[in-house]
């Protein structure tokens, strides 16, 4: 455009809608209960349900801030937060008329809808440059570019420098050969450019907070925000995607931000958006060594000096704990910690290359409780290779440390998920072979089937007795999860609109008491099922099934509070019609009432 100012390049950044994979009875309820932000807000105040109110796409907000600093016009769209269906999201994007659309794919449930959206966009605007990024896209760059012609580029790892340079190349009509960390098609197939130097985090702008602004614009609360104080992790846990994200970074695998600048960002969010709680989205918040420890002290001291009345929680490795540092952080508002305990079995921890011991796990639990920091235990009960003795060790660990006393005891019911690009995926492939990917036709269903296969959705459990234990435990956990997360919130909301009648108040009290009892019941059920599974194994029962045992146990526990049956107590209120978007009657008949 000689003699005239060039119009700024328009870039849209998308957090795609999630969609659960269907047809798997062993899937955890948390993987199927996907709701918009508005729906979460509508049912949040139920027996202390711990929904993360902020569901920001922090990665694309960093990208947005970087591109805006370059003078680009950027639109950020989070489909889940904004409640956008496929047609509405496509319409918003086409109306914005971007030159580049970047789609962030963090994990498996987002991949199918991301690809369907990309195909529809390319069909509507063939000249559009479509870029995928995020941990899952990084792991699948070869497959995405080799299978889907409508995916033009994949950014592997950190995206700020890559997307900025790619925007320059597209604007100037140049080949992307010098864009770091970019995978693209070349004459001989897929080309993967070198990653480049790790980014200096202090050179990045604070992330754009379009997500929070959008939430507030719709009259919804936004009390929490995501934040990062560091990037990377030096550990090599086999199930984690982080080692793949920092692949080829010989230096700077773990990098830290200036703690004063971090607190500047916190203050901006407190003063400008009314945020009072922060989720530190670091891979390992506390970090490594004395430099990181000093950073934590400066961070805490700066919060206290500015008298910022905030609360924050973070994920930490148990081998990073220093009591004096935790005490200082506690004074600054650090009130909830998620420990990557993972297992109570030494053999399992070793197989997963966790780099920590059961004794370290137990010392970390004791320290958090002594400092009165609420602990959220991250635990994986089993993987496809587990045997009953390993699970028995972890069940004993749960009992010994009373992990079921956490605010979300059902989160203890986890099976290891095989993530693309991880050491666990490579181990699985070496034993069972790589998944055979289905052909892609013209339908969206073909794309979803491909995604289901490529993301290891059908990893079974090798040991039939372990599989019987898991199916029975997960069935009971799903039963209680549906009750807590889907049935009770709209049910209780409907009661609030009625007059305060004695029978209703008594019912709510019984429901609250039952909710508080679930953790202890879960621990007892785990012990019951592992003992039964061991007995079946010793008796060499050929087709073990413990689901009837779990169902009978769940019903007996429920009848302690509801002798008439929980489903009868709820149905007798006359609230069998859908309330606030949830079909209570159907859920009661399907899940809560006896089979």
């Amino acid at each position: 455009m000689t003699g005239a100012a060039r119009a700024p390049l328009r870039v849209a950044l998308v957090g795609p809608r999630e969609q659960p994979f269907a047809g798997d009875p062993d899937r955890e309820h948390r993987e199927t209960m996907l709701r918009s932000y508005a729906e979460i807000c509508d049912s949040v105040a139920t027996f202390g349900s711990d929904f993360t109110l902020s569901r920001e796409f922090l990665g694309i907000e960093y990208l947005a801030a970087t591109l805006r600093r370059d003078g680009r016009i950027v639109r950020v769209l989070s489909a889940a937060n904004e409640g956008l269906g496929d047609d509405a999201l496509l319409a918003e994007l086409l109306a914005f008329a971007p030159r580049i659309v970047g789609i962030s794919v963090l994990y498996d449930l987002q991949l199918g809808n991301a690809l369907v959206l990309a195909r529809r966009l390319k069909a509507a605007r063939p000249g559009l440059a479509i870029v995928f990024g995020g941990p899952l896209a990084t792991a699948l760059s070869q497959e995405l570019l080799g299978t889907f012609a409508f995916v033009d580029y994949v950014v592997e790892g950190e995206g700020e420098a890559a997307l900025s340079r790619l925007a320059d190349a597209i604007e100037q009509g140049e080949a992307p050969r010098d864009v770091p960390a970019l995978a693209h098609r070349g004459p001989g197939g897929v080309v993967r450019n070198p990653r480049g130097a790790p980014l200096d985090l202090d050179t990045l702008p604070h992330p754009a907070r379009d997500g929070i602004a959008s939430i507030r614009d719709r009259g919804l609360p936004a009390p929490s925000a995501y934040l990062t104080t560091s990037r990377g992790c030096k550990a090599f846990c086999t199930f984690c995607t982080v080692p793949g994200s920092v692949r080829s970074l010989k230096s700077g695998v773990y990098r830290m931000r200036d703690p004063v600048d971090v607190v500047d960002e916190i203050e901006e969010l407190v003063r400008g958006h009314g945020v009072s709680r922060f989720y530190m989205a670091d891979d390992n918040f506390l970090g490594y060594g004395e430099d990181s420890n000093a950073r934590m002290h400066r961070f805490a001291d700066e919060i206290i000096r500015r008298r910022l009345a905030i609360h924050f929680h973070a994920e930490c490795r148990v081998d990073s704990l220093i009591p004096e540092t935790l005490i200082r952080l506690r004074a600054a508002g650090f009130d909830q910690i998620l420990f990557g305990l993972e297992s109570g079995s030494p053999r399992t921890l070793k197989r997963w290359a966790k780099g920590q011991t059961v004794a370290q796990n137990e010392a970390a639990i004791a320290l958090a409780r002594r400092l009165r920091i609420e602990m959220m235990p991250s635990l994986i009960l089993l993987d496809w290779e587990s045997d009953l003795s390993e699970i028995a060790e972890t069940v004993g660990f749960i009992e010994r440390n009373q992990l079921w006393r956490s605010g979300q005891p059902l989160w203890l019911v986890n099976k290891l998920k095989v993530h693309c690009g991880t050491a666990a995926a490579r181990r699985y492939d070496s034993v069972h072979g790589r998944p055979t990917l289905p052909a892609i036709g013209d339908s969206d269903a073909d794309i979803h089937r491909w995604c289901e296969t490529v993301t290891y959705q059908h990893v079974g459990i090798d040991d039939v007795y372990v599989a019987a234990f898991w199916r029975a435990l997960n069935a009971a956990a799903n039963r209680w999860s549906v009750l807590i997360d889907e049935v009770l919130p709209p049910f209780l909301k409907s009661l609030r609109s009625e007059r305060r009648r004695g029978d209703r108040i008594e019912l709510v009290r019984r429901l609250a008491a039952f909710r508080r009892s679930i953790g202890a019941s879960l621990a007892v059920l785990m012990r019951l099922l592992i003992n039964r599974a061991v007995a079946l194994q010793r008796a060499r029962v050929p087709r073990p099934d413990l689901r009837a045992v779990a169902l009978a146990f769940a019903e007996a526990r429920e009848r302690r509070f509801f002798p008439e049956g929980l489903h009868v107590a709820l149905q007798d209120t006359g609230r069998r019609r859908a309330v606030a978007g949830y079909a209570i009657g159907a859920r009661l008949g399907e899940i809560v009432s006896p089979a």
Side-chain angles (χ1 to χ4, degrees):
M1 294 180 63
T2 305
R6 186 191 299 268
L9 193 76
R10 301 171 77 84
V11 182
L13 300 173
V14 180
R17 186 172 59 82
E18 303 159 323
Q19 179 165 315
F21 296 105
D24 183 357
D26 293 340
R27 193 169 300 282
E28 297 146 41
H29 175 59
R30 293 190 301 280
E31 294 185 82
T32 62
M33 191 191 68
L34 303 175
R35 292 184 270 174
S36 70
Y37 183 86
E39 289 171 321
I40 290 174
C41 291
D42 191 53
S43 61
V44 69
T46 308
F47 298 155
S49 294
D50 185 24
F51 294 106
T52 302
L53 281 183
S54 172
R55 300 198 303 179
E56 290 186 273
F57 276 81
L58 194 59
I60 61 176
E61 291 184 330
Y62 264 109
L63 295 174
T66 301
L67 291 168
R68 285 170 181 162
R69 186 174 61 182
D70 295 343
R72 316 296 186 191
I73 298 174
V74 182
R75 175 83 188 272
V76 176
L77 284 165
S78 171
N81 272 0
E82 299 185 35
L84 295 174
D86 294 341
D87 292 342
L89 180 58
L90 179 66
E92 290 280 349
L93 288 168
L94 294 178
F96 179 63
R99 180 67 182 84
I100 300 172
V101 174
I103 303 176
S104 177
V105 185
L106 303 179
Y107 68 110
D108 52 1
L109 300 186
Q110 298 167 328
L111 182 59
N113 285 327
L115 288 169
V116 168
L117 173 66
R119 182 161 70 176
R120 295 179 70 186
L121 278 169
K122 202 71 166 181
R125 301 278 172 81
L128 194 61
I130 296 179
V131 188
F132 272 53
L136 182 55
T138 295
L140 293 176
S141 58
Q142 187 82 28
E143 290 83 353
L144 291 172
L145 291 168
T147 306
F148 302 104
F150 49 79
V151 177
D152 298 301
Y153 307 101
V154 177
V155 173
E156 300 181 323
E158 293 180 314
E160 289 88 354
L163 194 56
S164 177
R165 294 272 293 279
L166 178 62
D168 288 341
I170 288 174
E171 190 172 43
Q172 295 164 16
E174 298 176 351
R177 65 177 65 91
D178 296 326
V179 177
L182 189 73
H184 56 100
R185 295 182 192 86
V190 175
V191 178
R192 301 170 76 183
N193 295 352
R195 290 284 182 97
L199 296 175
D200 179 349
L201 302 185
D202 289 329
T203 66
L204 296 176
H206 293 170
R209 297 293 175 169
D210 292 43
I212 292 177
S214 172
I215 288 168
R216 288 170 60 88
D217 287 346
R218 287 180 290 141
L220 297 170
S224 62
Y226 281 19
L227 196 80
T228 55
T229 75
S230 66
R231 283 187 186 177
C233 182
K234 295 182 180 181
F236 292 94
C237 303
T238 62
F239 51 79
C240 185
T241 61
V242 173
S245 297
V246 297
R247 176 181 57 82
S248 83
L249 295 183
K250 292 185 169 64
S251 63
V253 170
Y254 187 80
R255 285 150 294 150
M256 302 172 285
R257 290 178 58 191
D258 178 350
V260 174
D261 184 57
V262 174
V263 180
D264 287 343
E265 184 180 351
I266 288 174
E267 190 164 19
E268 290 170 5
L269 289 163
V270 171
R271 311 292 187 210
H273 294 281
V275 173
S276 58
R277 171 165 284 278
F278 293 86
Y279 169 62
M280 303 303 180
D282 301 38
D283 299 308
N284 182 15
F285 175 61
L286 295 177
Y288 307 86
E290 189 48 45
D291 286 347
S292 188
N293 189 50
R295 167 182 71 104
M296 289 286 97
H297 278 270
R298 288 186 63 203
F299 173 68
D301 289 346
E302 192 68 17
I303 291 172
I304 293 168
R305 185 185 69 79
R306 300 192 198 186
R307 298 182 178 180
L308 295 173
I310 64 167
H311 300 278
F312 57 95
H313 60 292
E315 300 180 22
C316 305
R317 285 184 59 87
V318 301
D319 53 5
S320 298
L321 305 181
I322 298 175
E324 294 77 11
T325 302
L326 285 180
I327 291 170
R328 196 65 179 155
L329 289 167
R330 182 72 180 90
F334 189 20
D335 61 355
Q336 191 179 72
I337 191 167
L338 188 149
F339 284 139
L341 304 172
E342 314 310 356
S343 178
S345 166
R347 279 192 298 148
T348 304
L349 290 172
K350 184 176 181 179
R351 183 167 69 249
W352 295 344
K354 206 34 209 173
Q356 64 197 44
T357 66
V358 176
Q360 286 176 310
N361 280 347
E362 296 190 325
I365 293 166
L367 177 61
R369 286 175 173 161
R370 178 163 61 85
L371 298 180
R372 296 185 178 180
I373 299 176
E374 181 186 358
M375 183 189 59
M376 300 181 67
S378 173
L379 207 70
I380 305 171
L381 277 176
L382 51 91
D383 64 14
W384 76 89
E385 297 179 272
S386 297
D387 62 35
L388 290 178
S389 65
E390 292 177 290
I391 299 170
E393 288 176 321
T394 296
V395 171
F397 173 74
I398 291 169
E399 294 170 328
R400 195 164 59 247
N401 295 280
Q402 297 187 331
L403 296 183
W404 49 268
R405 290 185 178 275
S406 73
Q408 292 290 340
L410 295 174
W411 289 7
L412 295 173
V413 183
N414 286 310
K415 182 177 69 170
L416 185 138
K417 194 169 188 62
V418 178
H419 290 291
C420 299
T422 63
R426 293 190 291 274
R427 182 182 179 102
Y428 184 83
D429 290 347
S430 69
V431 175
H432 296 277
R434 293 180 63 85
T436 301
L437 300 179
I440 298 294
D442 295 331
S443 72
D444 293 350
D446 290 334
I447 288 179
H448 286 290
R449 271 193 297 273
W450 186 91
C451 295
E452 186 173 0
T453 304
V454 80
T455 57
Y456 297 89
Q457 296 304 312
H458 300 293
V459 173
I461 296 173
D462 293 344
D463 187 303
V464 295
Y465 302 99
V466 172
F469 166 85
W470 170 256
R471 289 184 184 126
L473 179 66
N474 189 53
N478 283 347
R479 174 188 177 102
W480 289 332
S481 292
V482 168
L483 174 73
I484 293 169
D485 296 330
E486 295 197 47
V487 174
L488 289 184
F491 175 77
L492 293 175
K493 183 178 179 182
S494 71
L495 293 184
R496 295 191 194 108
S497 64
E498 299 180 1
R499 296 180 179 178
R500 296 177 59 85
R501 288 174 46 184
D503 59 337
R504 300 294 194 267
I505 295 172
E506 176 58 27
L507 175 60
V508 171
R509 286 173 179 164
R510 286 196 289 160
L511 288 169
F514 172 64
R515 169 69 173 84
R516 291 192 298 269
S517 77
I518 285 177
S521 295
L522 180 68
V524 175
L525 179 59
M526 284 182 177
R527 174 55 61 189
L528 171 65
L529 292 176
I530 195 64
N531 289 346
R532 291 289 183 91
V534 169
L536 292 175
Q537 184 182 52
R538 287 173 179 166
R540 299 184 180 180
V541 174
R543 290 184 294 276
D545 191 339
L546 291 166
R547 284 172 291 185
V549 174
L551 176 61
F553 177 90
E555 290 176 359
R557 288 283 163 150
E558 291 163 9
R559 287 186 183 276
R560 290 185 178 187
F561 300 91
F562 305 97
E564 72 278 30
L566 178 55
H567 66 295
V568 174
L570 293 177
Q571 288 178 349
D572 280 350
T573 65
R575 293 293 170 180
R576 300 183 61 180
R577 297 182 63 83
V579 179
Y582 301 103
I584 298 176
R587 280 299 188 184
L588 288 171
E590 176 187 341
I591 303 292
V592 180
S593 63

